[in-house]
């Protein structure tokens, strides 16, 4: 099955202000690093419904389908999938980077996050965070690098998140039947 989230509410990713990058990447971090789950106002944030029952297992790479209004040729998008617990802490599950197409706001762009295996416990929810960068994991476009090399705001619309699960439809009250797999041309 899969856990899905769909929204047409636009959100804007600001060109700077990524948070928690060093908490999730560096020589002193672990795979189970946690940070407070407050939404970063410079990023686009999406949350699924909380899992019920015994929870479910994420198995594979989440897919994100979205329309993006991108204006800069060097603009980038970083994605993080996080497990948010009822204690207000979040743990990184998956991440990925995208150099989106420019000037095609009606085109659906897609991104598959790096696959993982993770148990989402009852009461926990998934959070998709889209940022301008995920430094130091990713490159950070310098603010003073000139228009061609700097990061611009990106508007995200018509987003669909599909997270593959080990369990079938009906599990934890949030798992649905899997849609056909997407294969790019």
């Amino acid at each position: 099955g899969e856990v899905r989230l769909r929204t047409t509410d636009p959100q804007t990713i600001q060109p700077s202000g990524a948070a928690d990058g060093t908490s999730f990447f560096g020589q002193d971090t672990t795979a189970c690093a946690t940070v407070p789950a407050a939404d970063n106002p410079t990023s686009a944030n999406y949350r699924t419904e909380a899992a019920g029952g015994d929870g479910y297992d994420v198995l594979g790479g989440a897919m994100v389908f979205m329309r993006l209004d991108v204006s800069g040729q060097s603009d980038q998008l970083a994605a993080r999938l996080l497990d948010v617990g009822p204690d207000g802490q979040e743990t990184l599950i998956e991440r990925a980077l995208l150099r989106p197409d420019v000037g095609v706001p009606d085109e659906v762009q897609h991104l598959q996050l790096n696959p993982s295996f993770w148990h989402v416990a009852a009461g926990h929810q998934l959070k998709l965070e889209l940022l301008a960068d995920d430094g130091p994991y990713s490159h950070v476009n310098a603010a003073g690098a000139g228009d061609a090399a700097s990061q611009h705001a990106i508007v995200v619309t018509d987003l669909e998140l599909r997270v593959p699960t080990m369990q079938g439809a009906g599990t934890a009250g949030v798992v649905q039947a899997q849609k056909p797999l997407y294969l790019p041309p």
Side-chain angles (χ1 to χ4, degrees), residues 12 54 82:
T12 302
D54 294 327
L82 304 135

Side-chain angles (χ1 to χ4, degrees), residues 4-111:
R4 285 195 298 269
L5 175 120
R6 178 85 192 242
T7 181
T8 57
D9 294 335
Q11 291 194 43
T12 302
I13 302 167
Q14 298 299 327
S16 62
D20 302 320
T22 55
S23 297
F24 295 132
F25 187 82
Q27 68 183 32
D28 296 328
T29 62
T30 68
C32 297
T34 60
V35 298
D39 290 345
N40 178 345
T42 65
S43 63
N45 298 278
Y46 308 90
R47 294 176 187 244
T48 65
E49 295 294 321
D54 294 327
Y56 59 90
D57 298 308
V58 172
L59 183 61
M63 288 291 301
V64 183
F65 301 86
M66 61 203 145
R67 287 186 166 80
L68 302 171
D69 190 356
V70 181
S71 61
Q73 64 186 9
S74 292
D75 289 351
Q76 65 182 349
L77 182 142
R80 297 179 187 154
L81 185 67
L82 304 135
D83 177 319
V84 178
D87 63 354
Q89 295 291 303
E90 64 188 14
T91 305
L92 179 67
I93 302 173
E94 300 177 355
R95 65 178 5 144
L97 303 169
L98 175 70
R99 185 73 69 183
D101 292 336
V102 178
V104 288
D106 294 328
E107 176 184 296
V108 175
Q109 300 191 46
H110 60 276
L111 171 65

